[in-house]
Amino acid sequence: MNGQGLTVGGPRQRAILSALLLSANQVVSFDSLIENVWNGRPPSTARTQVAICIATLRKIFRSAGWSRETIITAAPGYMLNLAGHTLDSLRFEHLVGKATELTAENRPTEAAAALREALALWHGPALGGVYAPFAETEAARLNEQRMLAVEQHMALRLQLGEHQAILSALQALVGACPLRDRIRYYLMLAQYRSGRRAEALTTFRDGMRHSIEEIGLELGADLQSLHNSILRDEFPQLDVPGISASQSEKQQSAPCQLPESDACFIGRSHDQWLMNEALLDGSPQNPVPIAYITGSPGIGKTSLAVNWAHRVAHRFPDGQLFADLRQGEPLDVLHQFLRQLGAEGPLPTQTAEASELYRTMLEGKRVLVILDHASSYARLRHLLPGNGECCVLITGQANLDELLQKYRALRLRIGPLSDEESRELLAGVLRDTRADESHEATEQLSALCGHMPLMLRAAAAKLLTKQHWRVLDLVRRLERSGDRLAELSMGDDSLRARLDHSLRELDPEAASAYRELSRLDNADFEAAEAAKVLGTDLLDAEDLIETLVDAQLLEVVGRSPWGEMRYRWQELVRLHAVHSLSATPREASLAD
């Protein structure tokens, strides 16, 4: 409500609420609820426990400001009353039905828009965090409905000539669902129409090998027929229905550069509500609506930006642009954006001229621009649209004061997840009951991970590779480990790698201060304590500390009773600083 999520307690409460939601506005009997929760093996106190769960759920709804009774007692059980409220699942079904009707009326553009809105309602796996046989059955049904809608959406976008725009999405879908022939068919078609004939043939060969190895069958007749048509370059049969080859080549589809959305994204509901208010409703005082998401490394800035962008993509019919600003100069990004927007021929070689063309091409369009990992306003300013129809989402750790002053941008500093959100994330990645078996162990693991999404995912990944481990086994291992960051570093995109990058971005004096301040006995400290460790006067120590605060490596936690500013290390950041100090001789660090 008002952008706030509801925190529901243990597995029984979630199972009961799920059963009521799946039968919204219908009475669900006591016996059915008991069967759903205990799967035919209820304790003698089952009816009492169900009643307690219902009372707790009612209290949760009331505390969230729902004035009307949401769960009604109705013989022989309970009913969840949706009066005045909506369910995403019901809205999804309505939009899919509407898209089917529009498709039958030969209105593909409107049908695709309806499906895009429907698919944006999905924020993760169906019934995530509910572990019961009835929920698994319903989740499988809902997920299949989602995949059918995805296939229908891809077919429509192919019909509209958007084959290049959907290539990356189709490749990701084939990777996730290699045995869905219809998705592979659409990928091969999109590859061929995009001039990637060899890739289309490789996609077929990969599918044939996978199908034989997994189920002992060759690919279906439709895929084999398509393969033969590609081999013979039978372009008329492979063209977009209702569009001639020349029209298809000239048509410029809206760019869709959003990375894959995080299937296990958790929390941040209030932040997303604030982003809706700032970016979607608009403000006449702002030339361009802008939100800047900032926070420490690994806290989930990009994940929040991409998840929100997928949810609201239908509000930007002219496309979505995405750039990782760590890769390439502003001119490179401008060239990438200009090509996506349909610019042809030679492009300007000066950043200012390319920016002017970029803003001209965006004039009158409604495009969402995501600029990831911004390090300075200087690297941003040429990438900002010139009108209020577009909006911009930026992530990074820098201060960007000039941006915030000039554009009155929304600044969101996101922090660690809550205990419940951390548990839900672990459970969502694990997809088993281990996160719920011992709440104490799960809370310990979450704390050891600093409630940071990146570390929690790494911990869950560790448990996925060790199916015989309990959560407590990993907790004990991390508590004994002399290097927790190394224990949970999996691949190149680890928290240690991100903190290493942040350290390299600091000037030598600030980098030295980062390492030396890890010598302090307490995670909380004042500037006077820091000055002693750094061997500087108070003002110089404060300047160095504020540089680390601006880089999201230290936090301000208020003032002491005598008025001195107090600062705090996040535990995992401090561990990294300690490791960096031990890897750098004191003499060398002071000489930086």
Side-chain angles (χ1 to χ4, degrees):
M1 184 176 183
N2 289 340
Q4 295 284 0
L6 298 182
T7 300
V8 179
R12 282 195 293 274
Q13 285 181 30
R14 293 195 298 276
I16 289 172
L17 179 57
S18 298
L20 293 172
L21 286 168
L22 289 166
S23 301
N25 295 324
Q26 301 176 41
V27 176
V28 182
S29 69
F30 248 116
D31 291 341
S32 178
L33 290 173
I34 290 171
E35 173 65 26
N36 286 338
V37 173
W38 285 280
N39 195 29
R41 292 178 291 179
S44 59
T45 59
R47 293 181 71 87
T48 302
Q49 291 190 47
V50 168
I52 292 171
C53 286
I54 292 290
T56 303
L57 289 170
R58 285 170 170 167
K59 183 178 179 181
I60 290 171
F61 282 116
R62 284 196 298 271
S63 66
W66 294 35
S67 56
R68 184 177 302 186
E69 193 68 76
T70 308
I71 302 177
I72 300 170
T73 301
Y78 301 98
M79 181 179 76
L80 190 140
N81 179 19
L82 274 185
H85 305 288
T86 60
L87 276 182
D88 282 353
S89 58
L90 298 180
R91 175 72 177 155
F92 172 80
E93 291 177 5
H94 168 75
L95 287 167
V96 171
K98 178 182 175 182
T100 301
E101 293 174 3
L102 290 168
T103 301
E105 296 169 7
N106 197 25
R107 296 159 65 184
T109 302
E110 296 163 79
L115 284 170
R116 189 173 196 168
E117 185 177 351
L119 293 168
L121 295 169
W122 284 78
H123 307 149
L127 299 174
V130 183
Y131 307 109
F134 88 93
E136 292 176 5
T137 301
E138 284 299 314
R141 179 183 66 83
L142 291 168
N143 285 324
E144 177 60 20
Q145 287 184 354
R146 178 190 190 183
M147 286 306 302
L148 290 172
V150 167
E151 290 176 350
Q152 187 180 353
H153 188 221
M154 292 300 164
L156 286 166
R157 295 188 68 183
L158 280 168
Q159 183 181 344
L160 292 168
E162 299 180 15
H163 38 271
Q164 289 185 330
I166 63 175
L167 266 176
S168 59
L170 284 169
Q171 287 166 340
L173 286 166
V174 166
C177 310
L179 294 176
R180 289 193 82 98
D181 284 7
R182 187 53 45 184
I183 292 293
R184 189 174 296 276
Y185 185 101
Y186 293 151
L187 174 58
M188 289 173 60
L189 202 53
Q191 287 171 327
Y192 183 83
R193 291 177 182 169
S194 301
R196 302 182 180 186
R197 182 173 179 270
E199 291 181 24
L201 296 173
T202 299
T203 298
F204 177 83
R205 287 195 297 271
D206 289 346
M208 182 68 80
R209 184 179 64 254
H210 194 90
S211 183
I212 292 172
E213 289 176 354
E214 290 294 318
I215 59 177
L217 295 174
E218 292 188 347
L219 292 174
D222 287 347
L223 273 167
Q224 295 203 40
S225 176
L226 176 62
H227 175 252
N228 292 335
S229 292
I230 291 173
L231 281 174
R232 293 191 293 266
D233 279 317
E234 295 175 342
F235 193 81
Q237 289 87 335
L238 299 171
D239 199 4
V240 183
I243 303 176
S244 70
S246 58
Q247 287 176 316
S248 177
E249 289 165 2
K250 291 178 182 177
Q251 181 171 336
Q252 175 62 39
S253 59
C256 181
Q257 292 189 301
L258 296 180
E260 186 83 5
S261 186
D262 185 350
C264 296
F265 180 83
I266 295 296
R268 313 297 191 200
S269 57
H270 184 61
D271 295 317
Q272 294 194 63
W273 179 67
L274 292 173
M275 291 158 69
N276 290 342
E277 292 281 300
L279 298 179
L280 300 183
D281 295 342
S283 168
Q285 298 175 321
N286 254 354
V288 181
I290 297 176
Y292 176 42
I293 304 172
T294 187
S296 61
I299 207 66
K301 302 181 288 294
T302 301
S303 184
L304 169 59
V306 171
N307 181 268
W308 181 85
H310 276 282
R311 291 183 61 186
V312 302
H314 64 283
R315 301 284 295 270
F316 299 92
D318 297 310
Q320 306 87 45
L321 299 172
F322 180 94
D324 184 341
L325 299 187
R326 295 172 300 182
Q327 301 171 5
E329 294 301 312
L331 182 60
D332 301 322
V333 176
L334 282 168
H335 283 177
Q336 172 202 328
F337 284 176
L338 287 169
R339 291 300 187 202
Q340 286 291 323
L341 293 168
E344 298 178 352
L347 296 176
T349 57
Q350 299 298 314
T351 303
E353 294 175 6
S355 180
E356 184 178 347
L357 176 59
Y358 165 66
R359 288 171 177 165
T360 299
M361 296 191 72
L362 288 177
E363 188 67 34
K365 293 185 177 180
R366 186 156 176 77
V367 174
L368 173 62
V369 181
I370 300 182
L371 303 172
D372 199 26
H373 297 109
S375 58
S376 69
Y377 177 68
R379 291 179 62 82
L380 279 176
R381 62 190 186 92
H382 291 295
L383 303 172
L384 301 177
N387 67 78
E389 290 299 309
C390 300
C391 77
V392 184
L393 196 50
I394 302 167
T395 75
Q397 293 168 228
N399 242 4
L400 301 187
D401 287 341
E402 192 173 350
L403 170 81
L404 300 174
Q405 292 166 7
K406 183 173 181 179
Y407 287 92
R408 299 171 60 88
L410 169 70
R411 182 181 187 272
L412 285 175
R413 189 183 190 281
I414 61 173
L417 299 176
S418 67
D419 283 337
E420 179 59 27
E421 289 169 339
S422 298
R423 186 211 59 77
E424 190 175 348
L425 193 156
L426 287 168
V429 177
L430 290 173
R431 297 296 291 168
D432 58 30
T433 60
R434 281 183 287 178
D436 288 317
E437 288 172 354
S438 170
H439 285 285
E440 182 180 355
T442 301
E443 287 178 6
Q444 287 177 294
L445 179 58
S446 299
L448 288 166
C449 292
H451 297 281
M452 299 178 72
L454 183 63
M455 290 290 278
L456 289 164
R457 291 177 189 284
K462 192 88 169 180
L463 288 169
L464 282 173
T465 64
K466 300 287 186 181
Q467 290 290 329
H468 55 287
W469 281 13
R470 301 166 299 168
V471 171
L472 185 58
D473 295 323
L474 180 55
V475 168
R476 288 171 175 166
R477 185 180 184 92
L478 292 177
E479 287 177 336
R480 292 195 305 267
S481 174
D483 192 345
R484 197 186 316 164
L485 289 172
E487 193 75 34
L488 292 179
S489 288
M490 303 186 71
D492 297 330
D493 192 25
S494 65
L495 180 59
R496 165 161 289 171
R498 296 192 186 190
L499 288 168
D500 285 343
H501 177 79
S502 296
L503 182 55
R504 289 193 298 270
E505 291 289 302
L506 296 173
D507 64 62
E509 195 174 4
S512 176
Y514 174 79
R515 293 187 286 261
E516 293 298 328
L517 287 174
S518 68
R519 296 179 185 275
L520 290 166
D521 293 332
N522 298 317
D524 288 21
F525 60 90
E526 296 173 11
E529 300 171 77
K532 293 179 182 177
V533 170
L534 297 175
T536 65
D537 62 33
L538 185 60
L539 288 178
D540 286 342
E542 288 178 343
D543 287 343
L544 289 168
I545 292 170
E546 288 297 329
T547 298
L548 299 178
V549 170
D550 291 344
Q552 310 295 330
L553 296 171
L554 286 176
E555 299 175 342
V556 179
V557 292
R559 295 183 182 273
S560 65
W562 43 91
E564 295 295 325
M565 195 76 75
R566 291 195 65 80
Y567 304 91
R568 175 186 298 157
W569 285 104
Q570 285 189 20
E571 183 184 5
L572 294 172
V573 178
R574 187 185 186 194
L575 288 177
H576 178 265
V578 169
H579 180 270
S580 301
L581 178 67
S582 64
T584 306
R586 181 174 176 83
E587 294 78 11
S589 67
L590 291 175
D592 278 345

